[in-house]
C-alpha cells in the first residue's frame, strides 16, 4: 500500500492557503445533516468539537473522565509557542518552523510543521478573545519567555498553569455548544473499538464506566483526540488514566501506527523515590529559564552529598559543574529536552548524581533570587515551587531542586496525512494522538500549540472535504450489522478479561512492563537490549493472559477491568515500540541508539537510510506487523548534524 500524505504542491509558505481554497466545502444548510464523533476532550478534542459545532455540525464528544475539563491537557505548565515576535528579538513563522524541524532532529514533515508555525499566531488571538489570562508585561502587552531549543522568547504563559487556562477556554467554548444543543457530551465513557462499514469509520463502541453498558454510536466521521501512550512505561508524568486503547483499537482495525519508538524523556521531573509511586511529577521546563543545572565536579563530593555529609550550599562554585552551560554555550540550560535528559543521565552514570539514590541533578535558583529578588521569582514560578515543596518537603527558595528525566510525551502516534486523516477513511487523529508535527523530539510548549492548531484551525477545513466525498447527506444507518457485530466483539473481549482469575494483579504486570520498557527502550537503546526486551514482553503477555486476576463484574464501576483492558493494549504496543526501535538503527532526537553516536556522545542520524516515517500495519494477533515507509523530503532546510553549542 502506498502512503499518500496529500502534501500540497507549491512553495512552503503558500501550501496551506492554497490547500484551504482547493478543499471542498459543505454549505451551512448541509452541515446540519452530518454527525461527527470526537473521542477525547483535551485541547485538541474540546477545540475541535467546539469549532465544528459552531460551524453547524452535530457533534458527539466522549471522555472517560467525569468532565471534559479533567483532560490531561490541564496538567501542562510552562506555556504555548507562537511566532508573534512581541519581543522584537528576531522571531518569525519561518524561525519557529526551523526550530521545530531542527528540534525534531529532521524527522518531521516540512509542510505540517510550517502550517503549525503559520497558524500559531492565530491561536493566541483566539485564546485571548476567550479570556485566557496570559501573563502580561507592565505596559499590558502579553509577556513571553524562552523555552528549550530556541534562542528567542516566543512562549506565552499563565504562570505554571497554562494548560489549565487554555483548557478552560476551550471548555467554555464547548459548553456553549452543549447548551445550544449542537454537542452531546458523553462523560465516563471509554471508546473500545471503531465501527467499520465498507472500509470507512462510521462509529465507535464504548463502555459506560459507571454501569458497564456496551453501546454503539454512529457518525459520519470519527476524530480521535486521545493523547499519548507514555503510560506504557508505568511511571510517567501522565495522568493515571492516560492510555493507548482508543488509538490501538483503531490500529487493529487498519489505522497505521507511526514512529512508535519516539518517546520524549522530560529532563525536569521530581526524581523517583521508591516502588510505592504510581506516577511522576513534572516541573515545568520554564524553570530552566532562571534555574541553573549542575552536579559536583567529583564523584567524591557527590558521594558526600548523597550520604548527607555535605549540603548543596557547602559545594563551592569552583567545585560545581554547570554541565549544560559548559557543553552548550550558545543555548546553555535551554537545550532541547532530549539533549538535557541524556546529559543528566550521563552525569548520574558517571557517579556524580545527587540525592539518596544518586539519580538526580540540581536545578538551582540561588543566582536568580539574588539577581531578581525572591518576590519576582515567586511571581513567575510560585505555584511550581509550592508543588515541589508539598511533594518533597524541601524549600526550593532555600536549596536547589533535585530533578531527573522521566517519560513525558510521545511523538509517535497514528499515521495521518496532511488533512489529519488516518489510513482509515473517515477516521482522523488530532494532537498527541497523531505523529505528524514533532519528528523525533518535541520542543517545549509545542504540545499545546499543536492540539489547538489541529482543533481550531485545521480539522474544521479538512473534515468537510471528506464529508463532501460521501455523496450523501443521509444519517449513518445505526441498524447496520457492523454495529451489532462490533459491539459483540467488544463484549467478548470484556468477558475474556473478566474470566481471568490468576494470582497477579494488573498493576503487577504493568510495573514489570514499565521496567522492561524503561530499562531497554528508554533514554538509551541498543540492539542486544531491544532483542531481550522483545522476548521479555512476549513472556509477560503470556503471564498476563494466564495468571492475572480481574476482579468484579462488568455491570458496575470496575477499575480493575478498566486497567486490564488498557494494560493488555500496552503489552501489544510495547512490543511494537521495541520492533520500531530495533528497526531504526540510527539515533535521532529521543530515539538514542548507543551504537549510533558522535564522538561527543550526541545523536548520530543516518539520513541516507532512515529519513522516513515508519508506519506500521497490523496483521493480526501475534503476527509481525508490516512496515510502510513515507519518505521525508526536505526542500527548505538543510539536513545537518544537530548542534546547540
Amino acid at each position: 500500500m502506498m502512503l499518500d500524505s496529500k502534501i500540497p504542491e507549491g512553495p512552503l509558505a503558500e501550501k496551506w492557503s492554497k490547500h484551504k481554497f482547493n478543499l471542498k466545502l459543505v454549505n451551512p444548510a448541509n452541515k446540519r445533516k452530518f454527525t461527527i464523533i470526537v473521542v477525547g476532550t483535551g485541547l485538541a478534542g474540546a477545540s475541535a468539537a467546539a469549532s465544528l459545532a459552531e460551524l453547524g455540525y452535530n457533534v458527539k464528544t466522549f471522555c472517560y473522565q467525569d468532565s471534559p475539563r479533567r483532560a490531561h491537557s490541564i496538567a501542562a505548565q510552562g506555556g504555548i509557542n507562537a511566532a508573534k515576535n512581541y519581543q522584537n528579538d528576531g522571531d518569525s513563522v519561518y524561525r519557529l518552523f526551523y526550530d521545530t524541524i531542527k528540534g525534531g532532529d529532521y524527522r518531521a514533515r516540512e509542510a505540517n510543521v510550517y502550517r503549525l508555525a503559520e497558524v500559531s499566531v492565530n491561536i493566541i488571538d483566539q485564546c485571548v478573545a476567550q479570556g485566557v489570562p496570559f501573563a502580561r508585561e507592565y505596559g499590558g502587552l502579553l509577556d513571553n519567555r524562552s523555552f528549550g531549543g530556541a534562542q528567542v522568547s516566543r512562549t506565552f504563559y499563565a504562570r505554571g498553569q497554562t494548560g489549565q487556562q487554555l483548557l478552560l477556554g476551550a471548555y467554555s467554548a464547548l459548553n456553549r455548544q452543549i447548551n445550544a444543543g449542537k454537542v452531546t457530551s458523553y462523560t465516563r465513557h471509554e471508546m473500545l473499538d471503531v465501527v467499520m462499514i465498507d472500509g470507512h469509520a462510521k462509529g465507535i463502541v464504548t463502555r459506560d464506566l459507571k454501569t458497564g453498558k456496551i453501546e454503539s454510536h454512529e457518525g459520519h466521521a470519527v476524530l480521535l483526540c486521545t493523547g499519548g501512550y507514555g503510560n506504557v512505561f508505568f511511571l510517567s508524568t501522565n495522568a493515571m488514566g492516560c492510555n493507548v486503547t482508543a488509538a490501538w483499537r483503531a490500529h487493529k482495525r487498519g489505522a497505521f501506527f507511526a514512529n512508535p519508538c519516539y518517546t520524549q524523556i522530560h529532563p525536569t521531573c521530581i526524581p523517583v523515590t521508591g516502588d510505592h509511586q504510581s506516577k511522576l511529577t513534572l516541573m515545568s521546563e520554564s524553570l530552566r529559564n532562571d534555574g541553573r543545572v549542575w552536579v559536583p565536579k567529583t564523584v567524591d563530593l557527590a558521594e558526600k552529598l548523597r550520604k548527607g555529609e555535605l549540603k548543596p550550599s557547602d559545594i563551592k562554585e569552583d567545585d560545581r559543574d554547570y554541565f549544560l552551560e559548559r557543553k552548550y554555550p550558545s543555548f546553555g540550560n535551554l537545550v532541547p529536552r532530549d539533549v538535557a535528559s541524556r546529559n543528566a543521565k550521563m552525569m548520574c552514570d558517571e557517579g556524580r548524581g545527587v540525592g539518596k539514590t544518586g539519580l538526580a541533578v540540581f536545578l538551582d535558583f540561588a543566582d536568580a533570587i539574588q539577581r531578581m529578588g525572591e518576590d519576582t521569582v515567586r511571581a513567575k514560578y510560585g505555584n511550581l515551587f509550592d508543588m515541589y515543596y508539598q511533594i518533597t518537603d524541601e524549600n526550593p527558595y532555600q536549596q536547589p531542586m533535585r530533578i531527573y528525566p522521566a517519560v513525558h510525551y510521545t511523538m509517535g502516534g497514528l499515521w495521518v496525512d496532511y488533512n489529519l486523516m488516518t489510513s482509515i477513511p473517515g477516521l482522523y487523529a488530532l494532537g498527541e494522538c497523531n505523529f505528524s508535527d514533532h519528528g523525533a523530539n518535541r520542543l517545549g510548549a509545542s504540545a499545546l500549540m499543536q492540539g489547538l492548531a489541529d482543533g481550531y484551525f485545521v480539522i474544521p477545513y479538512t473534515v468537510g472535504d471528506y464529508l463532501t466525498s460521501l455523496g450523501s447527506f443521509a444519517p449513518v444507518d445505526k441498524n447496520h450489522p457492523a454495529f451489532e457485530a462490533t459491539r459483540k466483539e467488544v463484549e467478548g473481549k470484556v468477558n475474556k478479561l473478566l474470566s481471568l482469575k490468576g494470582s497477579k494483579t494488573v498493576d503487577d504486570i504493568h510495573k514489570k512492563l514499565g521496567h522492561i520498557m524503561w530499562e531497554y527502550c528508554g533514554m538509551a537503546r541498543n540492539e542486544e537490549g531491544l532483542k531481550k526486551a522483545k522476548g521479555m514482553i512476549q513472556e509477560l503477555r503470556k503471564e498476563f493472559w494466564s495468571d492475572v486476576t480481574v476482579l468484579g463484574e462488568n455491570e458496575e464501576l470496575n477499575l480493575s477491568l478498566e486497567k486490564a483492558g488498557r494494560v493488555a493494549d500496552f503489552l501489544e504496543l510495547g512490543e511494537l515500540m521495541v520492533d520500531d526501535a530495533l528497526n531504526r538503527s540510527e539515533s535521532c532526537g529521543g530515539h538514542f541508539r548507543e551504537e549510533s553516536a558522535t564522538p561527543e556522545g550526541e545523536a548520530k542520524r543516518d539520513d541516507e537510510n532512515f529519513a522516513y516515517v515508519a508506519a506500521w500495519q497490523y496483521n493480526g494477533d501475534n503476527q509481525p506487523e508490516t512496515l510502510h515507509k513515507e519518505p521525508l523530503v526536505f526542500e527548505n532546510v538543510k539536513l545537518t548534524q544537530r548542534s546547540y553549542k
Side-chain angles (χ1 to χ4, degrees), residues 152-319:
V152 297
S153 295
R154 64 163 66 103
T155 304
F156 295 79
Y157 65 98
R159 295 188 80 190
Q161 307 168 359
T162 314
Q164 179 179 5
Q165 299 302 330
L166 291 172
L167 186 60
L168 288 173
Y171 176 62
S172 65
L174 176 61
N175 266 346
R176 166 182 153 86
Q177 292 305 314
I178 293 173
N179 185 62
K182 294 301 292 180
V183 174
T184 304
S185 174
Y186 294 86
T187 59
R188 302 297 286 147
H189 279 65
E190 182 167 26
M191 175 189 146
L192 296 181
D193 215 333
V194 180
V195 178
M196 303 282 291
I197 299 177
D198 298 329
H200 289 238
K202 292 299 180 184
I204 62 172
V205 176
T206 64
R207 178 176 180 270
D208 185 323
L209 298 182
K210 294 179 291 185
T211 67
K213 185 178 180 182
I214 309 297
E215 304 168 319
S216 299
H217 299 271
E218 73 283 358
H220 293 89
V222 177
L223 278 53
L224 299 186
C225 311
T226 51
Y229 47 88
N231 277 353
V232 68
F233 290 86
F234 187 73
L235 286 180
S236 80
T237 66
N238 292 186
M240 294 286 291
C242 292
N243 61 81
V244 76
T245 291
W248 191 251
R249 303 290 170 88
H251 175 55
K252 296 177 82 166
R253 289 290 178 187
F256 293 177
F257 212 104
N259 301 335
C261 77
Y262 288 166
T263 306
Q264 178 164 88
I265 313 292
H266 197 296
T268 319
C269 302
I270 297 178
V272 176
T273 56
D275 292 337
H276 63 282
Q277 283 181 270
S278 55
K279 76 177 298 293
L280 297 173
T281 302
L282 173 70
M283 289 284 101
S284 169
E285 179 169 304
S286 62
L287 295 172
R288 288 198 278 142
N289 267 298
D290 293 303
R292 302 180 69 191
V293 180
W294 66 274
V295 291
K297 284 185 175 178
T298 67
V299 174
D300 181 58
L301 286 172
E303 285 181 353
K304 289 180 179 178
L305 280 170
R306 291 195 288 269
K307 293 176 181 177
E309 297 173 5
L310 291 175
K311 295 182 293 186
S313 57
D314 295 329
I315 307 297
K316 298 176 181 177
E317 193 70 17
D318 289 345
D319 292 327

Side-chain angles (χ1 to χ4, degrees), residues 459-472:
I459 199 66
Y461 288 94
T462 60
V463 75
D465 190 65
Y466 167 73
L467 295 175
T468 60
S469 73
L470 297 179
S472 170

Side-chain angles (χ1 to χ4, degrees), residues 104-108 259 261-262 342 439-440 523-527 530 580-598 602-614 632 634 639 641:
D105 218 350
Y106 306 94
R107 289 294 176 262
N259 301 335
C261 77
Y262 288 166
R342 277 199 299 275
M523 268 194 284
R525 301 102 184 254
N526 59 56
E527 183 177 3
L530 289 166
D580 190 42
L582 197 54
N583 173 75
R584 190 172 285 276
S585 54
E586 65 160 355
S587 291
C588 56
H591 168 64
F592 190 77
R593 284 286 295 266
E594 292 175 347
E595 305 95 332
S596 184
T598 67
E602 305 292 341
K604 184 179 179 182
R605 295 193 323 272
D606 179 354
D607 295 328
E608 185 176 345
N609 295 304
F610 293 100
Y612 61 76
V613 176
L632 291 169
F634 295 92
L639 290 170
Q641 173 63 40

Side-chain angles (χ1 to χ4, degrees), residues 7 43 96 104 128 145 161 190 374 498 511 586 600 602 612:
I7 297 172
L43 286 182
L96 175 52
V128 169
R145 55 191 178 198
Q161 307 168 359
E190 182 167 26
E374 185 174 318
L498 288 168
K511 285 181 179 179
E586 65 160 355
E600 296 81 21
E602 305 292 341
Y612 61 76

Side-chain angles (χ1 to χ4, degrees), residues 376-431:
T376 301
V377 172
R378 191 181 300 275
K380 293 176 74 173
Y381 308 115
N383 62 311
L384 298 170
F385 278 46
D386 291 344
M387 184 165 65
Y388 182 86
Y389 175 70
Q390 293 294 333
I391 292 172
T392 65
D393 197 30
E394 297 173 4
N395 187 339
Y397 294 103
Q398 298 175 0
Q399 65 187 90
M401 289 183 179
R402 290 176 296 106
I403 57 168
Y404 192 70
V407 172
H408 178 57
Y409 188 91
T410 49
M411 285 74 65
L414 293 179
W415 181 90
V416 293
D417 62 19
Y418 191 70
N419 293 329
L420 305 184
M421 191 188 289
T422 69
S423 49
I424 295 177
L427 181 70
Y428 293 80
L430 284 65

